[in-house]
Amino acid sequence: MSQPAFVLVRPQMGENIGGAARAMWNFGLDRMRLVAPRDGWPNQKAVAMASGAGRLLDEAGLYETTAAALEDCHFVFATTARNRDLTKPVVSPERAMEMAREKIAAGEKVAVLFGPERAGLENDDIARANAIISVPVNPEFASLNLAQCVLLTAYEWRRQTGEIAAERVEMAGSEWASQIEVEKLAEHYDERLDQAGFFFPEIKADSMKLNLRNLWSRMPLTRSDVQTLHGVLRQMVRWKERGD
Amino acid sequence: MSQPAFVLVRPQMGENIGGAARAMWNFGLDRMRLVAPRDGWPNQKAVAMASGAGRLLDEAGLYETTAAALEDCHFVFATTARNRDLTKPVVSPERAMEMAREKIAAGEKVAVLFGPERAGLENDDIARANAIISVPVNPEFASLNLAQCVLLTAYEWRRQTGEIAAERVEMAGSEWASQIEVEKLAEHYDERLDQAGFFFPEIKADSMKLNLRNLWSRMPLTRSDVQTLHGVLRQMVRWKERGD
């Protein structure tokens, strides 16, 4: 098991089981376990809702009790919105999935419990968990549903394991302009604008040229941008020469 | 404006506008803008779905075009699932909200664009954005809906701004045991288990005692745990003494 199992405890609506499957698979998780789903199993409403993630339902483990679903697990997280009358470590979703990654890498099996829609997990389920995951919701308004809670936890799992670039630049089939291309663009503008009388008054001309030069080098220009900017200038010159 | 505005561009279903409002308010965001909602505005289905977050809809700005909705903004993110034929920086949700926090702290106004349910943002909208937010979904299955995309972005905003403890321990009205309390517990077990003949054979007794001592100090024990463990031992002795 190279990923945590997500265990839905006594889920009520089939639609929510399907929605949880979609949420998991959006972030590459496919190990689902079900404890005593209210409306029996399999469930056609779950299948209809899961479209595209139906495999998770086909392969889901079905258990009568939370204890049975967790038998092979070494470390268990419980997701819960309310404070409970239990002494227990409480971790953020990010920290939880970081712990899960470390434990799984060390050969442990990890599970995450999600409670039924209305009431959430019972204390009896939570007492089986090693730690609680608490999503940092607005204390004035905490209304995450089952699939949303699954979604955020799965997202944090993917953040831990995916190689996610914080920043990159999408290129529209172009390449970055080289220094010499930007240099020639700058010269082209310098020359034409000088002819056009742009660098006026004389006393400010040097600082105006410096600022313009700086502007070009500050821009992340592609070769295609450079061509466009050359074209703009050429067309202005043509227009002037047409004299209309 | 101390938070980013979330701009829903040409949203189709009222339910999804309401769901987006709930997703935002779950993470403390309440600045919503709407560009040309398909079914007009106000929308009763949006109100019904938003229950508890209805204030966001009442206060939402309504605009005819994306350009109008962004007029006062200094930096705009666009959320999009597909690659576009545009050269543009692409950032993770986390990096995007980190940038948003920095820019807002520097007095800038920041907006995040979300496209219509089916087709997403048009290139014309995206060309107005300074950067693209890309959610790191499973490349085999990318099926986030509007409210889910809003939810993940809002969650990352809260992670940036909330003071979220990665780990803490919820205490059930108890306190941590002090060193002396744990020491006395260890002595109690040492003594009784010695009487009971637990440390056998003699040659292993010292290492067995050391392991037991280590076990007690390794446990995160509360005062109440310590009392429970004293009680367990006392009861075993009582049972023995009853001789039944």
Side-chain angles (χ1 to χ4, degrees):
Chain A
M1 197 154 67
S2 63
Q3 50 168 264
F6 277 20
V7 184
L8 309 192
V9 179
R10 297 180 298 281
Q12 302 181 307
M13 311 266 288
E15 292 86 337
N16 294 332
I17 303 173
R22 289 174 69 92
M24 286 174 65
W25 189 225
N26 259 302
F27 294 110
L29 287 168
D30 60 4
R31 310 280 75 199
M32 180 185 265
R33 296 180 181 190
L34 296 166
V35 176
R38 185 190 65 185
D39 299 337
W41 196 254
N43 179 317
Q44 279 316 307
K45 286 181 179 165
V47 173
M49 184 65 167
S51 69
R55 180 174 63 79
L56 277 71
L57 303 182
D58 298 339
E59 297 174 359
L62 183 64
Y63 304 85
E64 284 184 26
T65 63
T66 304
L70 299 177
E71 255 178 17
D72 62 338
C73 297
H74 303 93
F75 200 92
V76 176
F77 292 99
T79 55
T80 173
R82 289 173 294 129
N83 284 359
R84 308 300 185 126
D85 197 22
L86 292 166
T87 294
K88 187 83 81 179
V90 179
V91 295
S92 68
E94 179 180 31
R95 176 70 185 127
M97 292 301 100
E98 183 187 23
M99 290 165 72
R101 176 175 53 75
E102 290 165 1
K103 288 174 187 297
I104 288 169
E108 294 186 41
K109 290 192 179 184
V110 174
V112 184
L113 298 177
F114 296 88
E117 291 91 329
R118 202 161 303 182
L121 290 168
E122 288 176 7
N123 274 351
D124 206 47
D125 301 312
I126 296 175
R128 294 177 196 285
N130 301 86
I132 286 172
I133 298 178
S134 171
V135 179
V137 284
N138 178 359
E140 291 179 48
F141 186 73
S143 81
L144 293 181
N145 64 32
L146 175 57
Q148 287 176 322
C149 191
V150 168
L151 184 82
L152 290 171
T153 311
Y155 166 76
E156 284 290 4
W157 170 256
R158 182 150 177 97
R159 291 215 315 125
Q160 285 298 322
T161 55
E163 305 223 328
I164 295 159
E167 259 181 283
R168 61 189 172 85
V169 175
E170 185 134 306
M171 304 297 289
S174 188
E175 292 164 47
W176 295 119
S178 64
Q179 283 288 113
I180 183 73
E181 286 164 328
V182 177
E183 177 64 26
K184 284 188 176 160
L185 179 70
E187 283 171 13
H188 187 185
Y189 271 74
D190 265 10
E191 194 183 309
R192 287 304 193 186
L193 290 173
D194 210 4
Q195 291 179 308
F198 178 77
F199 300 112
F200 182 88
E202 186 76 33
I203 194 161
K204 288 198 178 171
D206 280 351
S207 80
M208 287 172 83
K209 285 181 184 182
L210 185 68
N211 283 338
L212 190 61
R213 184 62 61 121
N214 188 47
L215 184 153
W216 300 124
S217 59
R218 193 160 41 85
M219 297 291 130
L221 294 170
T222 64
R223 303 184 81 161
S224 146
D225 295 335
V226 169
Q227 291 315 313
T228 302
L229 291 166
H230 277 298
V232 165
L233 195 55
R234 271 186 226 110
Q235 190 58 31
M236 293 304 289
V237 172
R238 255 181 241 123
W239 185 32
K240 176 213 159 269
E241 286 172 354
R242 269 205 322 270
D244 48 56
Chain B
M1 196 153 67
S2 63
Q3 51 168 266
F6 276 21
V7 184
L8 309 191
V9 178
R10 296 180 301 280
Q12 303 180 307
M13 312 264 289
E15 292 86 336
N16 294 332
I17 303 172
R22 289 174 70 92
M24 287 174 65
W25 190 225
N26 259 301
F27 294 109
L29 287 168
D30 60 5
R31 309 279 77 197
M32 180 186 266
R33 296 180 180 190
L34 296 165
V35 176
R38 186 190 64 185
D39 299 337
W41 197 255
N43 179 316
Q44 279 315 306
K45 286 181 178 164
V47 172
M49 184 64 167
S51 68
R55 180 175 63 80
L56 277 72
L57 303 182
D58 299 338
E59 297 174 359
L62 182 64
Y63 303 86
E64 284 184 26
T65 63
T66 305
L70 299 178
E71 253 178 19
D72 62 339
C73 297
H74 302 93
F75 200 93
V76 177
F77 292 99
T79 55
T80 172
R82 290 174 293 130
N83 283 358
R84 307 303 183 124
D85 196 24
L86 292 167
T87 295
K88 188 83 81 178
V90 178
V91 296
S92 67
E94 179 180 32
R95 176 69 184 126
M97 292 301 102
E98 184 186 21
M99 289 165 71
R101 177 175 51 77
E102 290 165 0
K103 287 173 188 298
I104 287 168
E108 295 186 40
K109 290 191 180 186
V110 174
V112 184
L113 298 177
F114 296 88
E117 291 90 332
R118 202 161 304 181
L121 290 168
E122 288 176 9
N123 274 351
D124 205 49
D125 301 312
I126 296 176
R128 293 177 197 285
N130 301 86
I132 286 171
I133 299 178
S134 171
V135 179
V137 284
N138 178 359
E140 292 179 48
F141 186 72
S143 81
L144 294 181
N145 64 32
L146 176 57
Q148 287 176 321
C149 191
V150 168
L151 183 82
L152 290 171
T153 312
Y155 166 76
E156 284 289 5
W157 170 256
R158 183 150 177 96
R159 292 216 313 125
Q160 284 298 323
T161 54
E163 306 223 328
I164 295 159
E167 258 180 284
R168 61 189 172 85
V169 174
E170 186 135 303
M171 304 297 288
S174 187
E175 291 163 47
W176 294 118
S178 64
Q179 282 288 114
I180 182 74
E181 286 164 326
V182 176
E183 177 63 26
K184 284 189 175 157
L185 179 70
E187 282 171 14
H188 187 186
Y189 272 75
D190 264 11
E191 194 183 309
R192 287 306 194 185
L193 289 172
D194 209 6
Q195 291 180 308
F198 178 79
F199 300 111
F200 182 88
E202 185 76 33
I203 195 162
K204 289 199 177 171
D206 281 350
S207 78
M208 288 173 82
K209 285 181 183 180
L210 184 68
N211 283 338
L212 190 62
R213 184 60 63 121
N214 187 47
L215 184 153
W216 299 125
S217 57
R218 193 159 41 85
M219 298 289 129
L221 294 170
T222 64
R223 304 184 80 162
S224 147
D225 296 335
V226 169
Q227 290 316 312
T228 303
L229 291 165
H230 278 298
V232 165
L233 195 56
R234 272 188 224 110
Q235 190 58 33
M236 293 303 290
V237 171
R238 257 182 240 122
W239 186 31
K240 177 214 159 266
E241 285 174 352
R242 269 204 321 272
D244 46 55

